[in-house]
Amino acid sequence: MKALRPASLGGRFNLFWLGQTVSTVGDRVTVFVVPTLMIFVLHASALQVGVVAMAQYLGIPLLGPVAGVLVDHWDKRWTMLVCDLVRLVAVAVVPLAYWQGFLSTPLLVGCVAVISSATIFFNVGYLVAVPAVVSKDHLVRAYARLEGSGSVAEVAGPSIAAGLYSALGVAALLVDAASYLVSALCFRAMPAWGERTVVQGSVWQRLTLGFRLNWADPVLRRVVLAAVTLNCGGPVFVTVLPVLSYRGLGLTVGVFGAAMSVAAVGALAGAVVAPRISRRMGTGRTLAWSLLLHCLVGLGVLAAPSLPAGPVIAVTMGCYGFFMSCINVCSAPTRQSRMSAQHQGVMHAAFRTVTWGVIPLAALAGGLAVTLLTGPLGVLDAARAVMAGGTLLAACSFLPALRIQSLLDAADRKDPQVPSTAPALTETAS
């Protein structure tokens, strides 16, 4: 029991954890408020909602590779601190624009794109930070805690966001802005961690290295293929969900917020039990089955409106979040176990570029498909059809993940400490 206490992972991790927890709560407010604002204030179409969702990830294919190269050379702690401050300003612009009377969909696209760009650099530092502040043996536990606090934010966030939006309107976004300030202060208080990576080779060689590392390793390659497939369909589901809820099912902001909060209990449960499942089934096997079940349970939304819409969304998204937590807890440690610290930055950046690079297109496709189908089918059936199609496509992510566990087992039998491909990859990189 003593090993389960948060303090066992050290003061640096606890500060990191606190900053991320507060920031994630604020993020939930923005994720909830922006589409709500678009639908009820700007009267945006499903396509416009899709465009803003696309902007959230548009910087990934553009900045992802170079982010890994730059973050490897920068001070990691200050990089993440500056990214928090940039996001603070970008979020605060939205309520200021609304009060000044010039809030528009293009402005939202711009603000979301800036937030996305800063988040790209932040996330590369984030993935490098965790193994830098905790030992390898505690990585799964550290990610489980981060995922658990993220799930707590998922539980509280939508209800908080709905209440704040009902009371404050667009000013609710200032909560997210303040959360970035708290996160930045936590990074400022942390002792120094990580080092600037000194590597040979040109910028172009470093840019391409991350992609080669991900493809050369058989485990990483399968994780990449699984994540790309998942992100071709999953963002369709998530983008269309507010359209389905507000316009198709006629839910109020309060009911939708409450349903999403109840749903997030599943994500919290997933973060708690994922390490135990992983220890029993193996990290790779847990990842594969979680990918399949995460997608299939999304079909539960089709039960509405035959059954009460609020409970249907809550239960469906609860199961959806449970398996998403399992995926997140298993994915990062699996990838980090295959790569030396020297190349973590470019490996993670390339992974994010490829796997998240498809999300803008998927989000745009979801909004466009609902817009095109609304005429012949009506908004309810159009949203249901598009969400079901995206879910079934994402479920195919299970196939490339099937062999991950056997490959991990084979590597452990050969050398429990070092992946069999690691020396060759390091030599190639140098």
Side-chain angles (χ1 to χ4, degrees), residues 13 39 72 79 91 102 121 125 156 171 175 190 200 202 218 272 325 327 341:
F13 175 78
I39 291 172
D72 272 345
T79 296
V91 170
F102 59 88
F121 287 89
V175 173
M190 287 177 67
Q200 296 178 347
S202 66
V272 171
S325 288
I327 294 169

Side-chain angles (χ1 to χ4, degrees), residues 34-92:
V34 167
T36 302
L37 187 67
M38 293 187 69
I39 291 172
F40 289 110
V41 175
L42 298 180
H43 306 291
S45 66
L47 177 58
Q48 290 174 313
V49 174
V51 169
V52 172
M54 177 186 71
Q56 183 178 356
Y57 299 95
L58 191 58
I60 294 172
L62 302 177
L63 297 176
V66 72
V69 175
L70 294 176
V71 171
D72 272 345
H73 290 278
W74 291 346
D75 182 288
K76 310 298 189 297
R77 182 168 61 110
W78 278 99
T79 296
M80 299 176 78
L81 191 156
V82 171
C83 287
D84 274 334
L85 296 179
V86 170
R87 294 188 291 182
L88 184 159
V89 173
V91 170

Side-chain angles (χ1 to χ4, degrees), residues 122-149:
F122 183 92
N123 284 341
V124 174
Y126 173 93
L127 290 169
V128 175
V130 179
V133 299
V134 298
S135 66
K136 181 179 178 181
D137 293 340
H138 296 310
L139 276 179
V140 171
R141 188 182 301 166
Y143 279 110
R145 290 183 186 172
L146 289 165
E147 190 66 23
S149 60

Side-chain angles (χ1 to χ4, degrees), residues 14-26 80-81 84-85 87-88 122 174-190:
N14 290 336
L15 275 172
F16 181 83
W17 188 17
L18 172 62
Q20 288 313 289
T21 301
V22 174
S23 180
T24 303
V25 172
M80 299 176 78
L81 191 156
D84 274 334
L85 296 179
R87 294 188 291 182
L88 184 159
F122 183 92
L174 295 178
V175 173
D176 190 17
S179 74
Y180 287 127
L181 178 60
V182 172
S183 179
L185 291 174
C186 285
F187 284 120
R188 182 67 181 87
M190 287 177 67

Side-chain angles (χ1 to χ4, degrees), residues 88-177:
L88 184 159
V89 173
V91 170
V93 164
V94 177
L96 292 175
Y98 174 77
W99 293 326
Q100 294 300 316
F102 59 88
L103 181 63
S104 63
T105 297
L107 180 64
L108 279 175
V109 169
C111 290
V112 168
V114 170
I115 296 168
S116 171
S117 299
T119 300
I120 292 167
F121 287 89
F122 183 92
N123 284 341
V124 174
Y126 173 93
L127 290 169
V128 175
V130 179
V133 299
V134 298
S135 66
K136 181 179 178 181
D137 293 340
H138 296 310
L139 276 179
V140 171
R141 188 182 301 166
Y143 279 110
R145 290 183 186 172
L146 289 165
E147 190 66 23
S149 60
S151 299
V152 170
E154 294 278 359
V155 172
S159 290
I160 293 172
L164 288 173
Y165 183 80
S166 298
L168 304 175
V170 70
L173 291 174
L174 295 178
V175 173
D176 190 17

